[in-house]
């Protein structure tokens, strides 16, 4: 199974207030976000984090938080706050670190999945049913996703704030669009 999430902002005290996240402290947010990932995503599933894993945390603390995620197959698509992973001395805790990634249609019931931290107005395969997955915009609830479905435009915000602070599966996304 493939899972997607974005904008975890682990360690970010500002995000609690800026996005009115329902946690009393950063420690509670970190714990509950990771617990939600571990409850949904099996150890041998595939998890894509589409940017902003942490915010202004020392590298050692970011590594410790990543190690608490039980899934072994995790790819990070870099966002605004993921620059440390480019350092050649950074620990290798991700399967891959990319800026952009496409998953072939064979892994998504005939639909190409195009992933970037940033939403795009156009993307490879858009006219042929490719689905754009992104984070970055911190939409609340599924308003932005519902608006895309109603247009129709196959673009889905996988960010925590848009998905009840949980990762979303490939099948949930395909089902959302009736695919």
């Amino acid at each position: 199974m493939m899972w997607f999430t974005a904008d975890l902002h682990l360690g970010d005290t500002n995000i609690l207030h800026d996005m009115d996240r329902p946690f009393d402290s950063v420690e509670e947010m970190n714990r509950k976000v990771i617990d939600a990932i571990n409850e949904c995503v099996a150890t041998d599933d595939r998890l894509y984090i589409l940017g902003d894993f942490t915010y202004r945390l020392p590298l050692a603390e970011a590594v410790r938080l990543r190690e608490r995620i039980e899934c072994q197959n995790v790819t990070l698509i870099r966002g605004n706050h993921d620059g440390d992973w480019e350092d050649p001395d950074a620990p290798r805790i991700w399967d891959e670190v990319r800026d952009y990634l496409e998953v072939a249609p064979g892994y998504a019931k005939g639909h190409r999945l195009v992933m970037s931290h940033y939403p795009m107005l156009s993307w490879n395969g858009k006219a042929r049913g490719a689905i754009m997955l992104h984070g970055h915009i911190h939409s609340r609830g599924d308003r932005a996703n519902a608006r895309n479905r109603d247009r129709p435009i196959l673009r889905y915000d996988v960010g925590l704030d848009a998905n009840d602070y949980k990762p979303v599966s490939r099948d949930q996304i395909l089902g959302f669009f009736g695919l």
Side-chain angles (χ1 to χ4, degrees):
M1 178 61 70
M2 287 192 293
W3 295 87
F4 308 89
T5 191
D7 303 310
L8 283 65
H9 282 260
L10 301 177
D12 184 355
T13 56
N14 295 328
I15 202 78
L16 291 174
H17 308 291
D18 293 348
M19 290 307 303
D20 196 28
R21 286 190 174 177
F23 308 108
D24 292 328
S25 67
V26 168
E27 295 76 22
E28 179 188 10
M29 177 181 71
N30 293 352
R31 184 181 73 256
K32 287 190 174 181
V33 165
I34 291 172
D35 287 350
I37 290 170
N38 289 336
E39 287 170 17
C40 294
V41 182
T43 303
D44 59 346
D45 284 349
R46 162 73 51 200
L47 174 63
Y48 295 93
I49 299 176
L50 277 59
D52 294 350
F53 176 63
T54 60
Y55 181 74
R56 294 187 180 168
L57 282 183
L59 191 57
E61 179 65 11
V63 168
R64 188 185 70 74
L65 290 168
R66 164 57 188 102
E67 289 171 344
R68 289 191 48 223
I69 296 173
E70 295 168 1
C71 180
Q72 297 302 304
N73 310 304
V74 184
T75 295
L76 177 67
I77 308 296
R78 273 190 295 253
N80 293 340
H81 309 294
D82 299 312
D84 290 345
W85 305 111
E86 296 172 344
D87 184 335
D89 296 328
R92 301 291 170 233
I93 61 171
W94 309 104
D95 279 4
E96 279 188 282
V97 177
R98 306 277 298 265
D99 291 319
Y100 172 92
L101 183 63
E102 293 185 21
V103 172
Y107 294 97
K109 299 182 181 178
H111 296 274
R112 178 179 306 280
L113 301 178
V114 176
M115 291 178 270
S116 171
H117 176 63
Y118 310 98
M120 297 178 186
L121 293 175
S122 190
W123 54 89
N124 184 29
K126 178 181 178 184
R128 295 179 303 282
I131 302 170
M132 162 96 256
L133 304 178
H134 66 87
H136 184 64
I137 62 173
H138 293 275
S139 57
R140 295 181 188 187
D142 73 347
R143 288 181 306 170
N145 289 331
R147 192 170 49 243
N148 288 339
R149 180 186 56 210
D150 296 341
R151 285 182 186 162
I153 183 172
L154 298 178
R155 186 173 66 203
Y156 193 95
D157 179 359
V158 299
L160 283 182
D161 302 294
N163 294 285
D164 200 27
Y165 309 99
K166 298 176 191 167
V168 61
S169 74
R170 174 204 62 197
D171 292 349
Q172 288 172 303
I173 293 167
L174 293 174
F176 180 81
F177 290 112
L179 304 172

